C-alpha cells in the first residue's frame, strides 16, 4: 500500500509528540483547570517570550518587507542570514566560520537529516553516546536509512561523556563488520545537561580521527549554558587541531532564541562534498524567506543579541536553581546540570518492587511509572527509554516554564512517588558525583 | 567521501537555478544597466506585489503574535491554516476537503517529495506526461529513489494531454517489468499552460484505475487560469467518481499567492496510509509557524481572497495577451496558453542548420541556442530539454513580470533569432491548433 521506506518511518514515529499535544490540550491552570496537565516533557524555553515579543514589535516586520522577501531565494539560506549566523557562531566556536559553509534548513532536525544523508547510505551506522536526544533515531536515521549504535555511558558518573565509551562502540561495530560513518552527539548534552569538558572533546576527536569517522556535533544548546564551565565547540581549534574538515556542526534558533515553532536550523561544514550534498538536500526543506528575514533582523544588532543571550542564561540559571531546590526539598535525586532546559532525574529507587527486575522488565516498569505520572499525577516528563538510556529509571524533566508550574509539577511527582501503591520507595540515593573541575585541559588549550 | 544517495542528488541538481541567480545578479534596467539580464526563466509571479504588500501591512503581523506562534505546533500544519486551506480548495476542487487530510509542508516541492516517498521504494517508477515541470525529476525522484518515466505527448497537437500517451507508457513499463506506482502531472500544465479538459482527466483516471496506480495531481496553478475553460481538479467527482482514495493533490502558495520565497506547500490525500506516511515525512520539512500564521491571516477573509485571486487572473490574462501580441508581431510561434505564467515557444525552425539534425544533435543545438540567448541576448528562458520535451526546439518563456521587460526580452530574442549567424530561419510555422471547445464532457458532468 505504501513504500517500505515510509512504512518504516511511520512505525518508528515516537509517541512523545502525542504526550506533548495531549498535555497541551488540557493545560493546568490554578483557577480554571487545577487538575490539568503540566507539560515538562518538551524542551521549549518559555522564559523569554516577554523580551522577544517586545523586540519583534520593535522590528516592525512585514511593513518593512521588500519584494525580495516574497521572491525565491537561494534554498540553502539568504546571504544576509548566513552572514549574521556566521558572525554569531564564530564567536561561540572561537574560530572563524565562513557564511559560504553554512546551510540554513528547516530546523536542527533538517540539518541532522541532511548531514546523516550526506554521510551514510542505508545500513551504514552512526555511533551516538547514550543516553541521547531520542529524536536522533528519526532525525539521523529516518530518511537516510542509517542505523544508530548507542555508545552507553556509565550511570555511576551521571552518564558523563567519555571518549572511551565511543571507542568501545566503534570497536564493537568494526568487529561486527558494520560500516560506521560518523559519531553524533549533542553538545552541551541533552538530556543530561553536561557541558562537555574540552579535554574530553579533544579525546573524542582523536578517537574519530583514529577510526576515520566524521563527527556531527549538535550544538543547539551552545548558548544555554549556566554552569561554571564555559562552552567549547567541537570546532574550537583548541580541541580540534586536525579534524575540522570532518567535523560538522548543527545549530538552530529553537533553543537559544526560544522560537522553536519557526523551525529554523543551520549546519556548518568545511568539507566541500558534504557542503554540496547538504545544499542539495536543503532544496527539500528550505526555510521561509519571511522567517529568514525575521531572524536576520533579530541578529542585526550584536549588542542586542549579546544582551538577549545573557538574559536568557540568567533566567535559565534561576529556573534551574529553583527546580534543583524543589527536588532537593522533596528528596528526588538528579544529575546536576550545567546547561540545557532539563534535569535528569534518578527515579531508579521507585522502579524497584519486591526483587530487582532485569533490564527489560525494568524498562517496562519505567513505562508504567511514566504512565502513572501522566495519567494520575498529570505531569508529562519523558522516561530514559525515550533517550536510549543504558539502564531504566531515569527521567528528563524540563523546567523552562513558569516557576509556579514547575513547583506544582514537582509537588505532584513527589506525591505520586511517595504512595505505597507504587511499591516501597528504595533508599534515598546520594547525588551522583558533581561535575569535575573545568581545568582538565592543559593551560595552553591543548595546542601543541 | 559522501553517500551514494547524496552523490546522485548532487549530480542531478539542475543547472536552471544557476541561470536564475546569475540573471538576477545583473538585472536589466533601461537606465542603470541597459545591457543587463532579463530573467524570463523562473515561474515567479511578479504582477501582484503592490496588492500583497498593502495587505501584509494591513494585517499587522508580528505585533499581533501570540506566544503560540513561537511554540512548537503540529509539524504537518497548524489546525487553523489547514482549515482555511481546506475551505479554499474545497471550492476549487468542487468537493469537500477535510483539513485532517491535509499536510502542510515546505513548498509544493516538499509535498511532491513526501508523496513520491510514501508511494515508491527506490527503483519503482512514476509515469509523467512530457514535457513536464523539470524539477519533477528531483522533487519526485531525488530523495525517494523513484525513477521517472516520461509519457511523450504529441508535438503536433501542442503537447496537449492524452490518456492514451499515459496508457502507452504504463504498458511499456509493464512489458519491461518495471513496477509503476503512480502517474504524476501538473494540472493546469507547466510548461504548456493547458487547462486539462474534464473529459481527458476522466479518461486519465480510468487509465490509472485500470493499471492500479495512484495519481499525483500537482494543482499549484489551479487559480492561475485565464482562458475560456474553467479549471477541473482531479478530485472533482465529475471526473473522479471512484479513484479519489488513490488521487493525491499538491498545492501551494508560490503561484496563486505569488509568495514563492515563503516555500509553503500542502498535499491532500484521503488514503490513511499515505496520510500517515506523508505526515511522518512532514516532520523533516515543516513550515515556520510565523509563515503559517501569515497565510492563515491572508486566508481569513474569503471575500478578500476571492477578490485577490480574481485580480490575479485579470493581471495574468493581460500579461499573457500582451506577450502573445509581441510574439505574433515578431513572427515567433507558440502554443496558445490558458493558464500558468509562461508561453511555450516553438523555436524548432531556428535549430535547423544545413540538413536536419537527429534528436540528440537537436538537443545539443537547442542548448547552443539557449546559451546564445543567455550570453548574447542576455535573456534567460529555459529550453525544452529542461522539461523533458519529446523533441528539441521548444522553450518556456515566463511573462509574469513588468510588461516593458517582457517587450525588451521578446525584442532581443527576435533580434538574435533573425541573425544569419544562427543559420537561416526556417519557414514561419503556423500556430498549433487552438484548444478544443470546453464542451468535451457530457452535460451531466460525466456522472452516471
Ligand atoms: C539536541 C537537539 N537537537 C535538535 C533538536 C530539534 O531542533 P529543531 O526544533 O530546530 O528541529 C532538539 C530539540 O529538542 C534538540 O534537543
Ligand atoms: C508544477 C510545479 N510544482 C511545484 C513547483 C514548486 O513549488 P514550491 O516553490 O512551492 O516548492 C513549481 C514551481 O515552479 C511548479 O511549477
Amino acid at each position: 500500500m505504501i513504500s517500505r521506506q515510509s512504512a518504516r518511518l511511520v512505525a518508528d514515529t515516537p509517541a512523545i509528540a502525542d504526550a506533548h499535544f495531549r498535555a497541551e490540550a488540557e493545560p493546568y491552570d490554578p483557577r480554571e483547570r487545577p487538575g490539568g496537565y503540566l507539560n515538562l516533557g518538551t524542551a521549549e524555553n518559555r522564559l523569554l517570550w516577554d523580551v522577544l515579543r517586545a523586540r519583534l514589535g520593535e522590528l516592525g516586520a512585514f511593513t518593512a518587507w521588500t519584494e525580495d522577501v516574497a521572491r525565491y531565494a537561494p534554498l540553502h539560506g539568504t546571504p544576509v542570514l548566513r552572514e549574521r549566523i556566521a558572525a554569531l557562531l564564530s564567536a561561540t566556536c572561537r574560530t572563524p566560520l565562513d557564511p559560504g559553509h553554512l546551510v540554513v534548513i528547516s530546523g536542527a532536525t533538517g540539518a541532522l537529516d541532511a548531514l546523516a544523508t550526506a554521510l551514510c547510505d542505508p545500513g551504514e551506522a552512526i555511533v551516538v553516546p547514550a543516553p541521547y536526544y531520542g529524536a536522533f533515531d528519526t532525525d539521523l536515521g529516518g530518511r537516510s536509512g542509517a542505523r544508530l549504535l548507542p555508545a552507553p555511558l556509565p550511570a555511576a558518573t551521571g552518564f558523563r561523556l567519555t571518549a572511551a565509551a565511543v571507542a568501545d562502540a566503534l570497536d564493537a561495530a568494526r568487529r561486527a563488520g558494520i560500516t560506521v560513518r560518523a559519531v553524533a552527539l549533542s553538545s552541551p548534552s541533552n538530556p543530561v545537561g553536561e557541558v562537555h569538558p574540552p579535554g574530553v572533546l579533544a579525546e573524542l576527536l582523536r578517537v574519530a580521527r583514529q577510526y576515520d569517522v566524521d563527527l556531527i556535533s549538535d550544538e543547539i544548546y551552545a548558548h544555554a549554558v549556566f554552569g561554571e564551565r564555559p562552552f567549547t565547540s567541537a570546532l574550537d581549534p583548541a580541541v580540534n587541531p586536525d579534524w575540522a574538515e570532518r567535523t560538522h556542526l548543527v545549530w538552530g534558533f529553537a533553543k537559544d532564541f526560544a522560537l522553536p515553532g519557526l523551525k529554523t536550523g543551520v549546519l556548518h561544514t568545511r568539507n566541500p562534498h558534504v557542503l554540496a550534498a547538504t545544499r542539495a538536500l536543503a532544496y527539500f526543506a528550505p526555510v521561509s524567506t519571511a522567517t529568514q528575514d525575521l531572524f536576520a533582523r533579530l541578529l542585526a544588532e550584536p549588542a542586542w543579541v549579546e544582551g538577549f543571550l545573557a538574559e536568557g542564561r540568567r533566567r535559565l540559571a534561576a529556573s534551574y536553581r529553583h527546580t534543583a531546590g524543589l527536588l532537593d526539598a522533596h528528596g528526588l535525586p538528579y544529575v546536576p546540570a550545567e546547561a540545557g532546559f532539563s534535569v535528569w532525574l534518578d527515579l531508579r529507587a521507585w522502579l524497584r518492587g519486591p526483587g530487582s527486575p532485569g533490564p527489560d522488565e525494568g524498562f517496562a516498569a519505567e513505562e508504567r511509572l511514566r504512565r502513572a505520572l501522566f495519567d494520575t499525577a498529570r505531569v508529562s516528563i519523558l522516561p530514559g527509554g525515550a533517550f536510549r538510556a543504558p539502564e531504566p529509571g531515569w527521567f528528563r524533566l524540563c523546567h523552562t516554564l513558569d516557576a509556579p508550574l514547575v513547583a506544582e509539577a514537582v509537588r505532584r511527582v513527589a506525591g505520586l512517588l511517595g504512595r505505597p501503591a507504587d511499591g516501597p520507595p528504595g533508599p534515598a540515593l546520594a547525588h551522583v558525583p558533581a561535575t569535575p573541575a573545568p581545568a582538565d585541559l592543559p593551560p595552553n588549550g591543548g595546542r601543541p
Side-chain angles (χ1 to χ4, degrees), chain A:
Chain A
M1 202 59 182
I2 53 171
S3 66
R4 286 186 306 278
Q5 60 186 350
S6 68
R8 186 169 46 82
L9 202 56
V10 172
D12 289 351
T13 297
I16 294 173
D18 185 53
H20 171 83
F21 290 110
R22 273 181 61 200
E24 290 293 333
E26 283 181 59
Y28 164 79
D29 184 285
R31 265 178 302 271
E32 306 287 321
R33 201 188 284 109
Y37 286 100
L38 288 152
N39 182 14
L40 283 75
T42 309
E44 274 186 331
N45 187 348
R46 301 186 62 186
L47 304 174
L48 289 162
W49 179 239
D50 56 330
V51 187
L52 279 167
R53 190 192 159 82
R55 183 64 180 173
L56 292 170
E58 239 170 75
L59 290 173
F62 296 154
T63 40
W65 271 22
T66 61
E67 194 195 352
D68 273 354
V69 176
R71 300 188 63 197
Y72 278 121
L75 294 176
H76 61 284
T78 62
V80 55
L81 180 59
R82 282 186 286 113
E83 249 163 57
R84 290 180 186 171
I85 293 174
L88 173 70
L89 295 186
S90 293
T92 311
C93 299
R94 293 192 285 270
T95 185
L97 304 190
D98 181 339
H101 294 163
L102 294 179
V103 175
V104 172
I105 193 165
S106 182
T109 300
L112 291 163
D113 170 46
L115 283 171
T117 304
L119 296 172
C120 303
D121 275 304
E124 295 177 342
I126 300 175
V127 163
V128 192
Y132 59 77
Y133 170 54
F136 273 164
D137 285 329
T138 305
D139 298 4
L140 294 167
R143 290 210 74 175
S144 72
R147 46 196 284 205
L148 268 59
L149 304 178
L153 298 170
T157 54
F159 304 103
R160 304 210 175 280
L161 180 66
T162 70
V166 171
D168 287 349
L170 288 165
D171 249 354
R174 201 175 256 186
R175 282 194 309 274
I178 299 168
T179 303
V180 178
R181 289 280 173 223
V183 171
L185 81 168
S186 81
S187 170
S189 84
N190 172 11
V192 175
E194 185 191 19
V195 174
H196 300 308
V200 173
L201 290 171
E203 230 183 292
L204 180 71
L205 281 152
R206 277 194 292 275
V207 168
R209 185 164 178 244
Q210 182 191 337
Y211 285 84
D212 193 30
V213 294
D214 290 48
L215 182 72
I216 299 174
S217 184
D218 179 346
E219 304 188 350
I220 195 169
Y221 287 102
H223 303 96
V225 170
F226 50 82
E228 299 249 305
R229 195 201 315 278
F231 170 71
T232 302
S233 168
L235 219 52
D236 188 327
V239 299
N240 192 341
D242 54 11
W243 209 238
E245 256 229 13
R246 302 286 295 276
T247 299
H248 320 289
L249 296 192
V250 169
W251 186 74
F253 288 92
K255 311 297 175 187
D256 292 340
F257 280 81
L259 288 169
L262 278 62
K263 290 300 291 185
T264 304
V266 65
L267 66 88
H268 171 274
T269 181
R270 290 191 182 137
N271 182 303
H273 304 287
V274 175
L275 182 63
T278 51
R279 277 189 178 187
L281 287 158
Y283 169 89
F284 296 96
V287 175
S288 163
T289 43
T291 289
Q292 292 193 63
D293 181 65
L294 186 158
F295 282 120
R297 283 164 203 272
L298 265 189
L299 296 186
E301 267 180 50
W304 181 85
V305 173
E306 209 175 297
F308 174 76
L309 292 174
E311 179 64 15
R313 279 191 296 269
R314 267 193 296 279
R315 293 189 183 188
L316 254 186
S319 178
Y320 171 72
R321 275 197 308 270
H322 170 248
T323 307
L326 291 165
L327 295 170
D328 290 339
H330 284 96
L332 296 175
Y334 57 92
V335 177
E338 309 159 273
F341 298 174
S342 59
V343 173
W344 188 233
L345 280 185
D346 176 3
L347 304 186
R348 286 177 297 181
W350 285 269
L351 291 192
R352 297 197 190 116
S356 248
D360 274 5
E361 222 181 299
F363 280 109
E366 178 183 282
E367 175 57 17
R368 279 197 302 279
L369 181 51
R370 184 196 71 79
R371 271 177 191 254
L373 288 165
F374 192 81
D375 295 335
T376 309
R378 300 209 144 204
V379 173
S380 178
I381 58 176
L382 298 184
F387 301 93
R388 301 286 183 267
E391 60 166 35
W394 299 82
F395 283 77
R396 189 188 73 169
L397 179 148
C398 296
H399 57 78
T400 43
L401 60 174
D402 276 353
L405 300 180
V406 178
E408 171 71 11
V410 172
R411 200 187 57 70
R412 289 190 193 177
V413 170
L416 183 103
L417 291 175
R419 284 218 298 258
D422 301 296
L429 284 189
H431 282 183
V432 293
T435 308
D440 53 353
L441 194 74
N444 69 348
R447 286 187 204 85

